[in-house]
Amino acid sequence: MVEVPVEEYLCARIRRAEQALMAHHEAVLRTYGLTMTQYTVLLALSRTDGRSGAQLARACGVSQQSMATVLNGMRAKELIDRKPSATHAKVMIVTLTDSGRDLLDRAYREVIVLERALTDRFSADEHRRFCEFLDRATATLVEQTPATPAR
């Protein structure tokens, strides 16, 4: 096996970038009293309001049990509302409240500053190519991830 310095591993670079991104977002969101998962819930609901807890759990990459805890906290802060589904008696549908939408708007204005700063680091062609590279890397990571056996 050829020894490659850890600094050259693509996975290590992707992980460092992800850690830096999360640290930035968490620091910004902390000033709004939000966790990354709560922010992601607000963002997901702003794009498609009226989702189930299971749908939000998948969108945020957390378990349904974890999402239930997150949603309970967000409801206590009056950021979301939960009502029974018209079609499924046991399913609760989550919607944004005006307070939740307002908090998301304020937090988003600060989070988007990083997106613009990153975009400004690249020419238009570099940005397009970089996005293509990231998409290819993501596809490879997904393809190479072993399937979880059904229980």
Side-chain angles (χ1 to χ4, degrees):
M1 179 173 129
V2 175
E3 287 295 317
V4 178
V6 172
E7 302 82 36
E8 294 181 25
Y9 289 163
L10 284 177
C11 291
R13 289 173 186 265
I14 291 169
R15 179 73 177 149
R16 280 197 313 270
E18 189 258 348
Q19 287 173 329
L21 175 66
M22 293 302 290
H24 171 273
H25 281 16
E26 288 169 359
V28 167
L29 296 173
R30 195 175 307 118
T31 66
Y32 293 94
L34 291 171
T35 65
M36 191 65 202
T37 302
Q38 291 170 332
Y39 176 77
T40 305
V41 167
L42 294 175
L43 201 57
L45 290 172
S46 75
R47 293 178 176 151
T48 307
D49 206 15
R51 292 186 177 198
S52 70
Q55 290 171 318
L56 290 168
R58 283 190 295 277
C60 295
V62 299
S63 70
Q64 289 185 34
Q65 295 81 4
S66 294
M67 183 53 63
T69 302
V70 169
L71 294 177
N72 286 336
M74 293 178 74
R75 188 167 187 204
K77 292 180 179 182
E78 300 181 352
L79 301 175
I80 60 162
D81 194 16
R82 297 179 84 187
K83 294 187 173 142
S85 167
T87 56
H88 302 289
K90 293 183 179 183
V91 174
M92 297 295 283
I93 299 300
V94 182
T95 57
L96 270 177
T97 63
D98 289 341
S99 297
R101 193 171 306 282
D102 178 62
L103 185 60
L104 173 62
D105 288 344
R106 289 185 287 125
Y108 182 80
R109 279 194 295 270
E110 201 166 333
V111 168
I112 196 65
V113 169
L114 177 62
E115 182 75 28
R116 290 184 182 125
L118 284 169
T119 300
D120 290 347
R121 289 285 179 125
F122 302 98
S123 70
D125 185 56
E126 287 173 332
H127 180 265
R128 180 190 55 74
R129 289 182 20 234
F130 186 55
C131 289
E132 288 173 1
F133 296 154
L134 288 173
D135 289 345
R136 264 196 279 170
T138 301
T140 301
L141 292 166
V142 169
E143 290 165 7
Q144 294 296 314
T145 301
T148 305
R151 292 182 185 194

